[in-house]
Amino acid sequence: MVEVGADAYRYRRFALRVIEGPEAGLEAVSSGEEATVGTEPGNTLVLTDRTVSRHHFALRATGAGLELRDLDSTNGTVLGGYRVRSALVDGGALIRAGKSVIQLDLRDDEVRETLSQRGQFGRVLGISPAMRRVFAVLERFAPTSGTVLLEGETGTGKELVAEAIHAHSPRARGPFVVVDCGAISPQLVESELFGHVRGAFTGAERDRRGAFEAAQRGTIFLDEVGELPLEMQPVLLRVLESRTFRRVGDDRPIGADVRVVAATNRDLRVEVNRGGFRADLFYRLAVLRVRIPPLRERSEDVPLLVRHFAQQLGGDEAARVPDDLVTALGRQPFPGNVRELRAALQRALILGDAARWREGAAGELERPAIDVTRTYGESKARAVEAWEQEYVRGLLEQYGGNQSRAASAVGMSRSHLRGLMQRFGLLGDGEAGDA
């Protein structure tokens, strides 16, 4: 389904045609790598069948073929009589969503996406086709004022991408303000975003600017926006629509002259189906959706990243990175993506040579126990969480508990590190309230 050339991605078009259900005869044709089916207007094929979820399933063109993925729909996605979460499908496949049956037809024409010729965008590195494709999109969109939603797994570098968008925009001279939505106490989210006036609540001893005010004439980056409490989502939606906000305890509106870039490691369409994220806010944020590929889809970038990180970690250390270490790192799955790769390289340099790195990492690279009674998503989430916990624990040990040094060393914001520490119970007594 996908052909990757020296200068372009090519996708074979496919059509989704309803052959049974309220919209029998309705058809939609893909315009890119992905097409979706559901009742929300933003889908490729929009149905009125009440047994179909807002975002029911997605079809994405991959190197292996067309991947069908259920988006945690209420009534499930049925293929060949079986309810499936994901599967590779061929032309002619019949997919049931609720009371509707959709036939997949492959077309003879194709969609062509030109790749960027650059190997770097801001501080984001990549010579792989997967990253050059991302760069091509960012080259067109960064100079505008449109809102961007960055999607990708933990550790793929979404904050660096957001920073690069800001640096290539007309707002580059303005501030770039980062808000980690997953690390803020739910009781303080509104104050953190919009500020407060003295006396607005217990402990508000003076006026305080929020992130939106601090980001005036610049960019605000809402990291892990999927963690934003449901009750706060209408407030953020109103700000995005009206371009004004109010400090907590104040009725005076303040103009929001900011560009918004948001990021999430979740599929917000799934969260919409689950009732954890507002559909209208999702569409307001997803003016442009950019998927940042995991490291396993850009293995060509590993040597480049290893040399770059080696220079960051020790300057002349780059010359001492053995080729067999680069090769060994390139073969690892790295569920924590680029962030985990950097940590593995740092460990290798501390140990002194590739052989000792292999000995030190051997225990980590053993095949983990797999519980096949859990879904793929649940198992993956548990594995990533276990890795994150051990990573944070080891990072803090490496830097003697100094959070600022530890966060800076691995390119993480201090607030994000504190959020992870709080999540895994690694904050000392009296520290949790400071996050």
Side-chain angles (χ1 to χ4, degrees):
M1 284 300 300
V2 178
E3 292 184 8
V4 183
D7 61 348
Y9 264 71
R10 293 179 175 83
Y11 308 102
R12 186 175 176 184
R13 287 190 189 273
F14 56 92
L16 296 168
R17 181 164 53 90
V18 182
I19 62 172
E20 182 181 322
E23 280 86 31
L26 183 66
E27 181 178 272
V29 179
S30 65
S31 58
E33 70 167 341
E34 185 181 73
T36 57
V37 173
T39 59
E40 282 289 321
N43 286 286
T44 311
L45 180 64
V46 181
L47 304 178
T48 60
D49 184 348
R50 293 189 176 184
T51 59
V52 171
S53 294
R54 289 177 166 183
H55 304 275
H56 203 98
F57 68 79
L59 280 163
R60 187 169 74 91
T62 71
L66 268 178
E67 180 186 38
L68 169 68
R69 186 164 67 91
D70 179 72
L71 297 174
D72 203 27
S73 62
T74 301
N75 293 317
T77 298
V78 178
L79 183 67
Y82 294 93
R83 184 167 175 167
V84 298
R85 288 189 176 273
S86 65
L88 291 176
V89 293
D90 296 321
L94 300 180
I95 306 165
R96 177 176 289 277
K99 295 179 180 178
S100 299
V101 177
I102 297 101
Q103 181 170 310
L104 169 65
D105 296 318
L106 301 182
R107 297 297 183 93
D108 292 331
D109 57 330
E110 64 181 18
V111 179
R112 184 176 184 274
E113 288 188 14
T114 303
L115 303 181
S116 171
Q117 294 305 304
R118 67 172 75 198
Q120 182 172 355
F121 191 80
R123 293 198 294 147
V124 185
L125 304 178
I127 57 174
S128 64
M131 288 306 295
R132 289 168 52 214
R133 177 180 174 233
V134 171
F135 294 164
V137 173
L138 297 181
E139 286 168 359
R140 296 194 302 271
F141 210 76
T144 74
S145 59
T147 303
V148 182
L149 178 63
L150 303 175
E151 301 172 309
E153 297 176 8
T154 297
T156 49
K158 297 185 290 294
E159 184 172 339
L160 279 183
V161 174
E163 181 185 289
I165 291 172
H166 171 71
H168 287 77
S169 77
R171 296 175 176 270
R173 293 182 180 274
F176 177 71
V177 177
V178 179
V179 178
D180 188 343
C181 298
I184 307 173
S185 167
Q187 293 76 26
L188 297 176
V189 171
E190 190 169 6
S191 174
E192 289 290 331
L193 291 177
F194 311 120
H196 61 255
V197 297
R198 180 181 178 185
F201 50 84
T202 302
E205 299 177 352
R206 62 180 183 277
D207 291 356
R208 182 183 184 277
R209 290 194 312 166
F212 269 83
E213 196 168 349
Q216 292 285 44
R217 295 177 294 281
T219 302
I220 186 169
F221 175 50
L222 302 177
D223 197 12
E224 299 305 343
V225 71
E227 303 283 347
L228 195 67
L230 192 59
E231 61 271 17
M232 274 302 303
Q233 293 177 23
V235 181
L236 177 59
L237 178 64
R238 285 195 297 272
V239 172
L240 296 178
E241 290 177 340
S242 68
R243 289 291 161 177
T244 62
F245 62 92
R246 291 176 172 82
R247 289 181 175 183
V248 178
D250 194 351
D251 292 333
R252 292 173 297 177
I254 301 173
D257 181 13
V258 298
R259 183 184 195 172
V260 176
V261 178
T264 178
N265 62 10
R266 304 180 182 186
D267 189 327
L268 293 185
R269 298 169 299 185
V270 171
E271 298 305 315
V272 169
N273 284 343
R274 293 173 177 172
F277 204 84
R278 291 179 60 106
D280 46 8
L281 179 57
F282 166 68
Y283 286 116
R284 179 63 67 173
L285 292 172
V287 175
L288 175 70
R289 290 172 56 211
V290 181
R291 176 179 176 269
I292 311 302
L295 194 56
R296 61 183 175 275
E297 293 181 11
R298 45 179 299 212
S299 57
E300 305 97 315
D301 293 332
V302 171
L304 174 68
L305 293 170
V306 168
R307 305 295 179 188
H308 172 71
F309 291 147
Q311 288 180 327
Q312 282 188 333
L313 293 167
D316 59 354
E317 295 286 355
R320 299 199 296 107
V321 179
D323 290 340
D324 60 343
L325 172 57
V326 176
T327 301
L329 290 171
R331 290 173 177 167
Q332 304 311 318
F334 291 121
N337 294 295
V338 178
R339 187 181 296 152
E340 185 184 3
L341 170 64
R342 190 182 194 278
L345 175 63
Q346 185 173 22
R347 182 170 60 244
L349 295 177
I350 291 171
L351 290 175
D353 60 62
R356 291 187 62 195
W357 173 81
R358 284 194 294 270
E359 294 170 6
E364 296 177 19
L365 300 180
E366 290 177 359
R367 181 180 176 182
I370 301 297
D371 182 358
V372 294
T373 64
R374 296 183 179 275
T375 66
Y376 169 80
E378 290 171 338
S379 297
K380 179 180 176 182
R382 287 168 64 89
V384 171
E385 183 176 42
W387 173 84
E388 280 188 318
Q389 183 170 357
E390 289 306 310
Y391 179 84
V392 171
R393 194 187 306 277
L395 181 64
L396 292 170
E397 289 177 358
Q398 176 68 29
Y399 289 94
N402 187 310
Q403 297 169 30
S404 297
R405 287 181 57 213
S408 176
V410 296
M412 183 190 301
S413 68
R414 186 174 183 274
S415 62
H416 185 56
L417 176 59
R418 288 183 62 82
L420 291 172
M421 291 170 64
Q422 185 171 8
R423 178 178 167 190
F424 299 129
L426 299 177
L427 284 175
D429 292 341
E431 285 191 283
D434 298 332

